[in-house]
Amino acid sequence: MRSINNGGLQGRSISVVGSFVLFTLALLAVAVAGILPALLPWWLIVALVVIPVFAVLAWLAPEVAVVGILAAIFGVLPDILLPTLPIGGGQLRPEDLGLLSLFLLLLIKHVGSIRVRLQLMRHYWMPLGLFILVAATSALIALAYKTAPAKDVFNEARPYFNWLLLPVLCLAIENARQLKRFQLLLMTLALVLSVGVMFQSFTGITIFGRGQELRQLWSIDGGVADVLRSTTPGMFLMTGALIYLLAAYAKEQIGQPVAVALLSAILIGGVLVGFGRGLWLSLLVGVGLLAFFSRKAAYARLTITCAIGTAVVLSTLLMVKPEYVYAISDRLLSVGAEIEHGSSFARRTEENHFALQRIYEAPILGVGLGGRYKPDSAESRTWPDQVRYVHNAYMRVTVKTGLPGLASAIILVLVLLRRSWTGARHGERDPAISFAAFWVILTTTVLTAFTQPNLFAPNGVASIALAIFLIEQHRHLAGTPPLTERNRL
């Protein structure tokens, strides 16, 4: 009896000591958390919190970590979570460090099967490697001969680094279960983007991080009152998700018209408030191309549903925000006037004029990455990078890296179009995803490439790499067992 009582007293003593230790540790943690802000910069404190969380997530659920990096690239995460580090007069962004860290971590995790997992990229090694090699050579020449400031070379080389996302995706997502979760997270991210840009446009309150743009929309006639244009680097993800829903409905993969209509309305709202005529045209082209990939009856049902949905959205806007309907109409009907005397068209014409002059002077090497191709102007006083920036993707690659750069870009684009076209035509496993990925590649490399340098922008490269992976992974899973199962065999 005495031994039992002694055991109870000893247990209570251990419990008291344990509680005291936990209380002391908690008190110490609170004290450290209170002192750190006074001793360390805020960005370092954020890094100390985010880095271990990201490392654990990258190891246990790499597909979730990839979505986190995409959220940073597409500007969804607030700036407070993405502090930049100054380097060489430029800035090192946390999404770049996160992408590299995730790549190295996945190499360690899959050290015995790296070659097998990267087989999805086998058709892209040569064209993509050539494209990056030309850019790297141009950057090295610019640095060696000091034809451009190091920070400008670094900034124009950054988008090429985002191609690392493609092998990261191949290493991170290895089976159908992970792929399904990844696609669900992508759709969620697209919906968050759409709701966010609509909120920004309707309220004028900025909630997203870098890369977003919120400004007054001006029309040819002088201005449209109370209409804010809200754009996002995630526009291709957002519109690609919409194309996926329409394709899934047309291909009878989804049979819930109410759910499709609701989700599509949210995504359409995000596309509309961006007021991007090129993106609107690409969306219409995508809907038109669905006719070649769908049964007539299913496509007819889609067109009727889209017509009804468009009428409902426009009617709602007329009652709630009629000025937005007028702004949409003005953007659609002012294309001719913009070509004749619009400032945007005139700016691009001037860019092409100076770019062609520089290409004629240096057809082989170009001006190099980071190099300027046009003289200063009134606009460059407020936007210094204007003397280096070219909207036309193919004009940009030629003026920066010469004719070899143009040839490498064309080869890469042709491979992308051929692989994505065949993937869309024979996407037995998930035809809607394959078609949406084909649309993203067609839009980024052709339909909007003459007004946006998507091949040389972080969000454009990330969108293309994402589309490549989805096409090739679905093709792989349709033809062979998942990698994990094949390894067991």
Side-chain angles (χ1 to χ4, degrees):
M1 190 71 177
R2 184 179 304 168
S3 61
I4 294 176
N5 290 337
N6 290 338
L9 291 172
Q10 185 178 5
R12 284 194 294 273
S13 300
I14 294 175
S15 177
V16 170
V17 171
S19 300
F20 177 76
V21 170
L22 288 176
F23 176 77
T24 304
L25 291 175
L27 191 63
L28 181 62
V30 171
V32 170
I35 295 173
L36 279 181
L39 300 177
L40 300 176
W42 69 270
W43 56 265
L44 184 56
I45 297 173
V46 172
L48 291 175
V49 175
V50 172
I51 288 175
V53 174
F54 178 79
V56 173
L57 191 64
W59 188 268
L60 299 177
E63 67 277 11
V64 180
V66 174
V67 173
I69 292 175
L70 289 172
I73 294 173
F74 295 145
V76 176
L77 299 181
D79 287 339
I80 193 172
L81 295 178
L82 301 171
T84 56
L85 304 177
I87 178 172
Q91 292 181 333
L92 187 61
R93 298 185 177 183
E95 56 264 40
D96 299 332
L97 290 175
L99 188 58
L100 179 60
S101 301
L102 182 57
F103 177 67
L104 296 176
L105 190 67
L106 291 174
L107 285 180
I108 296 172
K109 183 178 181 180
H110 303 299
V111 66
S113 59
I114 295 174
R115 186 175 180 180
V116 175
R117 295 175 186 280
L118 295 183
Q119 280 295 305
L120 291 178
M121 293 181 56
R122 63 185 181 276
H123 298 284
Y124 305 93
W125 286 120
M126 190 279 289
L128 186 55
L130 180 62
F131 181 66
I132 295 176
L133 177 63
V134 172
T137 303
S138 177
L140 290 175
I141 292 174
L143 291 172
Y145 290 94
K146 298 181 179 180
T147 58
K151 69 180 183 66
D152 294 329
V153 178
F154 176 77
N155 287 334
E156 292 196 4
R158 277 191 65 251
Y160 291 90
F161 177 78
N162 279 48
W163 284 108
L164 188 63
L165 179 63
L166 183 54
V168 164
L169 286 166
C170 295
L171 292 169
I173 302 169
E174 54 185 298
N175 53 49
R177 177 179 53 81
Q178 285 182 305
L179 183 60
K180 183 178 181 180
R181 182 162 57 226
F182 179 66
Q183 292 174 179
L184 181 61
L185 289 172
L186 285 180
M187 177 61 72
T188 304
L189 183 60
L191 291 170
V192 170
L193 268 170
S194 188
V195 171
V197 293
M198 282 192 290
F199 176 83
Q200 291 181 152
S201 180
F202 294 151
T203 66
I205 301 172
T206 302
I207 59 172
F208 284 150
R210 64 173 67 98
Q212 311 293 331
E213 184 181 6
L214 184 65
R215 61 183 175 85
Q216 182 74 32
L217 176 67
W218 295 102
S219 70
I220 299 301
D221 297 329
V224 180
D226 301 321
V227 175
L228 295 176
R229 182 180 186 182
S230 180
T231 59
T232 171
M235 57 185 172
F236 298 118
L237 173 67
M238 190 170 59
T239 317
L242 174 60
I243 289 288
Y244 164 74
L245 285 175
L246 299 179
Y249 188 66
K251 293 174 177 293
E252 301 175 307
Q253 291 179 238
I254 299 178
Q256 295 86 12
V258 175
V260 171
L262 179 61
L263 295 177
S264 298
I266 296 173
L267 295 169
I268 288 173
V271 174
L272 287 178
V273 297
F275 290 96
R277 283 178 293 213
L279 195 61
W280 292 354
L281 175 62
S282 298
L283 178 59
L284 293 176
V285 170
V287 175
L289 283 174
L290 268 176
F292 297 96
F293 293 86
S294 311
R295 294 191 307 108
K296 290 183 179 179
Y299 187 74
R301 185 182 62 184
L302 172 67
T303 54
I304 294 172
T305 304
C306 286
I308 296 173
T310 302
V312 171
V313 170
L314 292 178
S315 301
T316 304
L317 281 176
L318 274 174
M319 292 185 292
V320 180
K321 286 276 188 179
E323 59 270 21
Y324 274 78
V325 179
Y326 304 144
I328 292 169
S329 174
D330 181 78
R331 291 288 288 178
L332 290 173
L333 299 178
S334 63
V335 175
E338 174 65 29
I339 293 175
E340 290 181 6
H341 51 76
S343 59
S344 179
F345 183 78
R347 185 187 303 115
R348 285 161 173 76
T349 302
E350 182 187 50
E351 285 180 359
N352 294 338
H353 170 73
F354 285 110
L356 287 172
Q357 283 186 341
R358 298 295 290 173
I359 292 169
Y360 179 77
E361 294 170 1
I364 303 302
L365 296 179
V367 299
L369 290 188
R372 55 186 296 164
Y373 72 99
K374 62 183 295 189
D376 290 315
S377 63
E379 187 177 5
S380 63
R381 296 172 186 171
T382 56
W383 182 24
D385 289 338
Q386 193 253 353
V387 297
R388 286 179 289 273
Y389 189 84
V390 187
H391 285 83
N392 186 315
Y394 296 100
M395 193 69 74
R396 174 168 177 149
V397 69
T398 311
V399 75
K400 295 291 182 177
T401 59
L403 294 176
L406 176 63
S408 67
I410 291 175
I411 292 172
L412 175 62
V413 169
L414 289 176
V415 172
L416 293 176
L417 291 174
R418 182 178 63 85
R419 294 289 301 175
S420 61
W421 170 258
T422 55
R425 288 191 63 188
H426 307 292
E428 295 89 356
R429 188 173 186 275
D430 194 332
I433 280 287
S434 299
F435 180 82
F438 162 68
W439 177 88
V440 168
I441 290 176
L442 177 66
T443 297
T444 52
T445 61
V446 179
L447 297 179
T448 64
F450 297 96
T451 57
Q452 298 172 207
N454 300 315
L455 283 167
F456 314 100
N459 66 310
V461 173
S463 301
I464 296 171
L466 183 59
I468 292 173
F469 169 74
L470 289 174
I471 286 176
E472 297 299 337
Q473 182 68 297
H474 276 284
R475 178 183 276 145
H476 168 76
L477 292 177
T480 59
L483 285 173
T484 50
E485 295 180 12
R486 189 170 64 182
N487 289 342
R488 292 194 194 104
L489 296 176

